[in-house]
Amino acid sequence: MSKTAAALSGDAPDAPVRPRLGRRIGLIAYSVFVGVVVLALIAAGVGVWFVNRSFPQTEGTIALDGLSGAVTVQRSELGIPTITASSTDDLFFAQGYVHAQDRFWEMDFRRHVTSGRLAELFGESQLGTDAFLRTLGWREIAEQEVAALDETTLSYYQSYADGVNAYLADRDEADISLEYAVLGLQNAPYEIEPWTPADSVAWLKAMAWDLRSNIETETERALLATTYTDEQVLELYPPYPFDENPVIVPEITDVPAATETADAATAGIRWTEVADVVSAVSTLIGGTGEGIGSNSWVVAGDYTDTGMPLLANDPHLGASLPSVWYQAGLRCSVVSDTCPFDVSGFSFSGVPGIIIGHNASIAWGFTNLTTDVVDLYIEKLDGDQYWRDGQLVDLDTRTETLKVAGGEDVELTIRSTVHGPIVSGLTADFDAIAADPVVGTAGATVTPTAEPEGESAVSIQWTALQPGTTATAIFELNAATDFTGFRAAAEKFVVPAQNLIYADVTGNIGYQTPGQLPIRGAGDGSLPQPG
């Protein structure tokens, strides 16, 4: 057969086939590439939409049930809102709405922390945390504080909660925050609950726990005291060198607000050098306590270029993302007795009002006093009773249910003495202290005489486990117009103990130390005490 015939019959040589095959492979590869790119673009678009769907609306108008009048929310280039309303109900309603717009996942997570309900979100891995927080009872104390609020303050918290719930209404979880979409992959049944005033007040307990002092040191000393001598423990925890760095504090007398004259503005202040920090606190507040101040500065106008006071405040809380602080402004369109707020500064997401900031008349700042407000006690138990002053007394006992995402409910029995809840059985350190208890006085270990027989346990006493008035103090600080009003508000700031600095537009500066401090017997708080 000739070559021509062979070609017509299809018996062509191999070489001419390869270019066609190569083009076909290239076309397939190109098609696959284009398909991948298209899918990637679609996925990116869906991802952007999925993330952006929970972003807050920052322009235009929103119609909301629950407002009695128009409210304006102006945001800076950085997204910082200034809220203006004609009534306090509308003002705090709008603050709750805006906080929820920007940070509701954070708020919801926080209330699960303060309520000891993290396992409802994340499963059994959080049962240990829940058991500890339920035992401390932050939420229970917060509910007691809400029940004791005056009518006006309660209306602020309720309006704020109403605003949060207005944002939550008719929104799916994933519309509220991307985190809920992720959470739904492992905990699909989870549903968001309405916000309540107790959810706000409970966060103040979490902040107080974060700012407590000495509990870790007291625990460490108690563990070390089983192995080392008092002298060796003292070497590990040396006292502050007051001889090298003396404390100078003002003795503040009960005087009326400063008048317009410079002499009157300083008439109530006498500066006194004291030997130690206990004396310093005693000089300031007339009671027993300890603690050293931190980074706050308020400089009189005599030392500034403008001739007016300069206030600088460094709360130096631990870094977090998002920050624990939320910058905002709250303004009544007409400032009056019924709507007294024109204040800017830093709030907590989930809490109405401004924590640190200034209004038209005064500015104030906080730093932690770092005083010791937590004590451990070594209790002696006998069944459902404990020894107290030579007698057996019934333990206070309650049972709570811990709900677990993807698991069975867990029953938790909480026992308390007159000092507070029993925390041994919850952490390894407290268990170790209960197993080999050491008690002390003034930094030295002592052996109790006639110690009763029974099981040893550790209880905890903390100033924040008593109902207080800090939730009210926030609004009184926001509305104060002079030093007298500032001090009256500070008096209600019972937990956590703080350094409060002050400046006003008339040139006055001031300092106040609010906070409840333990009044102890023989002990100084450095070691556990016998129950």
Side-chain angles (χ1 to χ4, degrees), residues 351-415:
V351 181
I354 299 296
I355 307 298
I356 292 175
H358 68 88
N359 58 32
S361 302
I362 74 168
W364 70 95
F366 285 98
T367 56
N368 195 31
L369 187 62
T370 67
T371 192
D372 180 10
V373 295
V374 185
D375 290 323
L376 299 178
Y377 286 84
I378 304 298
E379 310 284 4
K380 283 294 185 178
L381 309 184
D382 187 348
D384 293 331
Q385 296 182 307
Y386 68 102
W387 288 96
R388 171 74 175 164
D389 294 335
Q391 296 181 343
L392 282 171
V393 181
D394 290 340
L395 287 162
D396 289 330
T397 303
R398 71 180 191 274
T399 300
E400 297 199 8
T401 301
L402 305 180
K403 295 186 179 298
V404 183
E408 299 294 328
D409 293 351
V410 175
E411 297 297 316
L412 175 68
T413 299
I414 299 170
R415 301 177 297 171

Side-chain angles (χ1 to χ4, degrees), residues 7-8 59 123 154 194 228 231 249 308 382 392 407 419 442 449 487:
L8 292 174
E59 297 179 352
L154 179 59
Y228 297 95
E231 291 75 17
V249 297
M308 294 299 291
D382 187 348
L392 282 171
H419 302 113
T449 58
R487 293 187 70 194

Side-chain angles (χ1 to χ4, degrees), residues 51 280 292 310 331 335 391 400 409 415 441 481 491 496 505:
V51 172
I292 300 172
L310 175 66
R331 299 182 58 190
V335 177
Q391 296 181 343
E400 297 199 8
D409 293 351
R415 301 177 297 171
T441 175
T481 58
E491 185 177 1
V505 295

Side-chain angles (χ1 to χ4, degrees), residues 36 66 162 182 242 247 274 295 299 325 328 360-361 386 448-449 465 467 477-478 497:
V36 169
D162 292 343
V182 177
F242 288 101
V247 178
V274 295
N295 300 335
V299 182
W325 298 111
S361 302
Y386 68 102
T449 58
L465 295 185
L477 277 174
N478 288 190

Side-chain angles (χ1 to χ4, degrees), residues 2-167:
S2 67
K3 291 183 180 179
T4 303
L8 292 174
S9 66
D11 294 334
D14 293 340
V17 176
R18 291 196 181 97
R20 293 199 298 271
L21 180 62
R23 286 194 296 272
R24 189 177 300 114
I25 293 173
L27 182 61
I28 293 172
Y30 178 75
S31 301
V32 170
F33 173 75
V34 171
V36 169
V37 171
V38 170
L39 290 175
L41 291 173
I42 293 173
V46 171
V48 169
W49 171 82
F50 207 72
V51 172
N52 288 348
R53 66 189 290 201
S54 64
F55 281 14
Q57 178 181 339
T58 57
E59 297 179 352
T61 301
I62 302 174
L64 296 174
D65 292 333
L67 290 174
S68 61
V71 175
T72 301
V73 180
Q74 298 168 295
R75 289 187 182 256
S76 71
E77 293 180 354
L78 298 177
I80 299 168
T82 297
I83 303 169
T84 305
S86 58
S87 70
T88 56
D89 286 348
D90 286 355
L91 186 66
F92 293 116
F93 182 103
Q95 187 185 19
Y97 188 92
V98 170
H99 274 178
Q101 273 188 313
D102 290 356
R103 299 226 194 149
F104 185 75
W105 164 259
E106 177 189 4
M107 293 163 58
D108 198 19
F109 174 78
R110 285 176 175 179
R111 70 167 162 182
H112 279 81
V113 171
T114 57
S115 300
R117 296 172 53 197
L118 284 174
E120 293 182 22
L121 287 174
F122 307 119
E124 63 180 359
S125 65
Q126 299 303 309
L127 278 173
T129 301
D130 284 355
F132 185 77
L133 296 175
R134 288 285 187 98
T135 298
L136 291 184
W138 294 354
R139 174 70 184 210
E140 180 184 10
I141 302 299
E143 290 175 349
Q144 293 177 28
E145 291 185 0
V146 169
L149 288 175
D150 63 273
E151 184 177 350
T152 298
T153 304
L154 179 59
S155 73
Y156 299 159
Y157 279 96
Q158 187 58 60
S159 294
Y160 179 90
D162 292 343
V164 174
N165 293 328
Y167 181 74

